[in-house]
Every structure is written in structure tokens, then in C-alpha cells.
Amino acid sequence: METTAEEQLLGPLLLARGTIDRSALLRGDADWLAKAWADPTSRVLLVSDGHTLVRRAGDQVEVILYTTREAPEGERYLLGVEHGVAYFAVAAPLPGFATADTNGRVVSPLGLGDTPEGEPFPAGLRQAGALLGDRDAGLLVYAVALEAWHTTHEFCPRCGSRTKVEAGGHIRVCPEDGSQHFPRVDPAVIMLVRDEHDRCLLARGPQWPEGRLSILAGFVEPGESLEHAVVREVAEEVGITVVDPRYLGSQPWPFPRSLMLGFFARAIGTEVVCDADEIAEARWFSRAELLAALRSGEVRLPPPVSIARRLIETWYGDHLTGDW
């Protein structure tokens, strides 16, 4: 079945980009890894609590890459190879920006737009993902995802021993029982629900401020298909039956380890019954109603870096303003 023009995503999903070869066959080659680390052309991206150092270059943002000799000590992750250049990530404090809050998170002294051009600045994917080029976006998503997994899987789930990092940062091995542990990805469906009048259903969670709306989403359960997860999550969260789940695209969302799988779905009925634990409010919008709500400031949408925003714009048929 051909997709309609309306159902074509408006440009690339911003966290689903990347240009490097992940070079999986090289991860277990200790000699190659050692030579690549010693190679002066290799480059290193630093990652700390999901942040790296970037700099503005006009309207664009680029990650700051280091030589392996410049890189601080820390866990190393092979990200891949492009045009003969090996790229690594190192999990370590960001030079010059060691300040952290009480939860250990990086504290940024300025907003990205307030930073002088060319000056290093700590930023995460939510802040800089939409402004990075394809290569840098792919490198940062990869590094953030690996760091998030390693920081929460330091110990063997079988015996509790501290595990060792191997295979270029893609395996943790228990020295006591020899078990191998691999990075985890949690699949989640995210769906734009439309009714018979082609209205879009937007909602917000109880923890969100009024006006901050998005589409529905939820994790896929064990033994469940993606399509069934779409139907189940919508019914659980807003009491609406949907049919014809239609897959549109996917995007990594390493906060900490999700893979978001985007769908359109058609509603049978429009009466909303919210699960108070999950949804504070849910409302139907026509295109004209949504545009008016955005212009008045009554509604704010997810940022452009999210697949939620792309799905909403796909339904609307154009780009929209009014970010969280």
C-alpha cells in the first residue's frame, strides 16, 4: 500500500541520523583497538551524564572531538569508523565544566544561544540534537546510549561481582562466572490517534504543567507485538479503541535506553476516559484548533528533536512552532 503525501515524515528523524560504520567486527579485535587508540588521526567524544562539549558555528552546532592523547581517563567505547578515522567515546567529566548538581548532573552556566561562537559548552541531545550534523548526531546518540547502559550495569545480575568492559564497550563480562551482558534497548510505541473527522488526540501526563501536550506512548510488554501494544496502550490510557496501526518510523531515545516506534492509528469512538495515574487530560484537536492553541500559547508541543513532534507535524502537514 502506498503512503499518502500526508503520511510522509517531514524530513529525517533527528536522532535517527548517522554516517559512521559501527564496525561491529572490529570490537573484539584487541590488537586493532590498541592500534586505533594509538593512531593520531582517531577522535574521541567525551560523554558525562548524557552531555558532551559542543560549540556554535553560525546556526549550526558541532561536537568537540579530541585526539586520544588529549582524552582523559575513563571507560572507552568504540563508536565506529568513517573514511579510515576511528571514533571513540570516553565516559569522563567534561573539562572545565565539572560542576554538578546534587544528583550528579552537569550544570550548564548559560543557554546554548548565550554562548559565544566557538566557545565550548556542555549540551545534551534534547538541547543540541536538532542542531547537530548527521555525523555528530549519530555519534552523540550512540555515546549517550552506551554511557547510560554502562552506568547502570556495573555489577553482574547473577552473582553481584563487578563486571569488566570488553569488546570496545559493547559487552560487560563477569570475571567470576564468565557471563556476558549486552547493552539493553527498551522498545516503546508512540502513536498519533486520529478520529473519523481527522482530528488528532493530544494528552499530558500528571507530572506535566498545563498546556504541555504530546501524543500517547508506552512500552512494549514481553510477548507482545508492536501493533498490539499500540491498541493496548491507547485503551489503557484514554479508554479509546483504535484499529489499523500504521508504522511510520523509529528513533532512538536514550533517556535512558528507549527505541521509539512511531505509528498512526484510527479511533473507534471519541469519548475519552483518562487513567488518572497516567493521563491528566486528553483533548481532540482539528488542525485549525491546534494552530490557534499554539498561537495563543495555550498549547506547547514536544521539541523538534522528538519523534512525537514529527508525527504531529506529519498529521498537520507542515512544520509547527510552540516548543516545550
Side-chain angles (χ1 to χ4, degrees), residues 190-250:
I190 183 165
M191 42 278 177
L192 186 141
V193 177
R194 301 184 290 183
D195 70 3
E196 62 178 339
H197 304 294
D198 204 21
R199 295 184 301 171
C200 169
L201 183 64
L202 299 181
R204 69 177 177 92
Q207 72 278 20
W208 296 356
E210 290 189 15
R212 177 176 171 176
L213 301 181
S214 185
I215 55 179
L216 302 176
F219 287 105
V220 181
E221 294 186 347
E224 185 176 47
S225 70
L226 300 178
E227 292 79 6
H228 188 271
V230 169
V231 175
R232 175 185 55 78
E233 283 288 344
V234 176
E236 289 177 355
E237 293 189 346
V238 294
I240 289 176
T241 299
V242 296
V243 295
D244 301 331
R246 185 165 187 170
Y247 174 74
L248 286 179
S250 65

